Amino acid sequence: MPPSQPPGGGLPAASELLDLERSQIAHDLHDLLLPLIFGASATVQSLAAKAESANADRDVVLSDSARQQLGQVNDWLREALSLGRNLLTEIYPPELESLPWLMAARDTVAKICGANRDVTWQVSEGTPLADPDLDRSVATSAYRILVEAVRNAVRHGEASAITIKCDDARMVVQDHGKGFDPESVPTGHFGIRAMKGRAALVGNRVVVDSSVGGPTTVTLHFDCAPVE
């Protein structure tokens, strides 16, 4: 059982990690989901006001412009619904209940990356991620680290291609994106710290290597295997 306060000084304890998770979710809701809902609401209110003042008998015929606005509202609401479902999935990965880890991971990565990014998987037979008896907490930790790494590659790195390697000692996620300076990550960004915390809670370790211009490599070392 991992200690309640992971070693290393810079990693969060379990309670702090939960706070980081809540903060990350709150950030995503505030910056991604709520603006979409607000835009839809503002447009609907504008259309309602125009319809109310259009004529006294309320026999209103929508113009082409109004129809386009309603179409935009519909698109916003669909996007908000999809985003909300994705956020809920990241909180609790139900696919791990019904699918082997690798199958669930491949499916989720494909959904995150879409059709416009190349994803390459290199899986060794000895990887513990292919073990059907893999400890649930370890499986969940690795899954969420993978999702976070791929999500960051798409959202922040604007990666055109992602390579995922799984062997007996590690899982490596490398993206061919724009990269970043690890020393200049804003304090409000919890992604890297959360990945390290998830790994430490189950006795593993995450190393992130990047530079401006890329690539970015996220490595999950199983059982604190030494870095080569």
Side-chain angles (χ1 to χ4, degrees), residues 21-172:
E21 295 280 9
R22 295 188 186 102
S23 296
Q24 181 66 55
I25 292 171
H27 168 80
D28 288 341
L29 289 173
H30 182 271
D31 285 10
L32 300 176
L33 184 59
L34 293 182
L36 294 172
I37 297 175
F38 176 81
S41 176
T43 303
V44 169
Q45 291 178 13
S46 175
L47 287 174
K50 290 178 181 178
E52 186 175 351
S53 61
N55 52 47
D57 60 10
R58 301 293 192 269
D59 185 16
V60 179
V61 177
L62 292 178
S63 66
D64 290 341
S65 176
R67 291 191 183 92
Q68 290 176 359
Q69 286 180 300
L70 285 176
Q72 182 67 75
V73 169
N74 185 55
D75 290 342
W76 278 332
L77 292 177
R78 286 179 179 274
E79 189 173 351
L81 179 60
S82 176
L83 180 57
R85 286 174 175 168
N86 288 340
L87 291 174
L88 289 176
T89 298
E90 290 178 17
I91 296 171
Y92 177 73
E95 50 272 33
L96 292 184
E97 292 284 352
S98 57
L99 295 173
W101 193 94
L102 285 169
M103 186 178 296
R106 287 176 186 269
D107 183 62
T108 299
V109 168
K111 290 177 181 177
I112 295 173
C113 292
N116 297 324
R117 292 177 179 85
D118 294 327
V119 179
T120 301
W121 286 81
Q122 300 175 7
V123 180
S124 301
E125 291 184 3
T127 178
L129 299 175
D131 183 356
D133 297 321
L134 180 64
D135 181 81
R136 179 185 176 91
S137 62
V138 175
T140 301
S141 172
Y143 179 85
R144 289 178 172 169
I145 290 169
L146 172 67
V147 169
E148 181 70 22
V150 173
R151 180 182 169 194
N152 286 343
V154 171
R155 180 183 298 174
H156 302 300
E158 301 176 3
S160 59
I162 299 173
T163 300
I164 302 167
K165 303 176 183 178
C166 304
D167 59 29
D168 60 340
R170 62 188 65 82
M171 176 183 73
V172 180

